[in-house]
Amino acid sequence: GGDQTVNLGMSGSVTVILDGRATDTEGDVLTVQWSVVEAPAGATVTFANANARSTTATITAVGVYRLRLTASDGALTASDDAIITVN
């Protein structure tokens, strides 16, 4: 999915939708994994399902986050980052 800018809610957190896409041209089964590459100190990111292409992430602090989706077919691995800016 694309980069996003969101506002922190009154509850002190915000949930963002992560819509990743990954395909294998040879039809092999892909495993996927969301991870946090960069986040402000003390912030937390909780994925609803870190092993799903499309999921949500709950973020607890203002700042810039780099979230990565990595896909692998066992032989090759590729990844892409989504930048989430929380105001």
Side-chain angles (χ1 to χ4, degrees), residues 38-59:
E38 182 180 336
T44 61
V45 176
T46 304
F47 297 101
N49 183 350
N51 298 310
R53 290 181 182 117
S54 296
T55 190
T56 60
T58 302
I59 298 173

Side-chain angles (χ1 to χ4, degrees), residues 18 27 33-34 36 48 55 69 74:
L18 302 172
Q33 175 83 41
W34 283 98
V36 180
T55 190
L69 178 62

Side-chain angles (χ1 to χ4, degrees), residues 5-23:
T5 299
V6 296
N7 294 315
L8 193 66
M10 297 295 287
S11 65
S13 67
V14 62
T15 299
V16 295
I17 296 171
L18 302 172
D19 186 22
R21 291 184 172 81
T23 57

Side-chain angles (χ1 to χ4, degrees), residues 17-43:
I17 296 171
L18 302 172
D19 186 22
R21 291 184 172 81
T23 57
D24 186 280
T25 58
E26 296 179 9
D28 293 332
V29 174
L30 292 175
T31 58
V32 297
Q33 175 83 41
W34 283 98
S35 60
V36 180
V37 177
E38 182 180 336

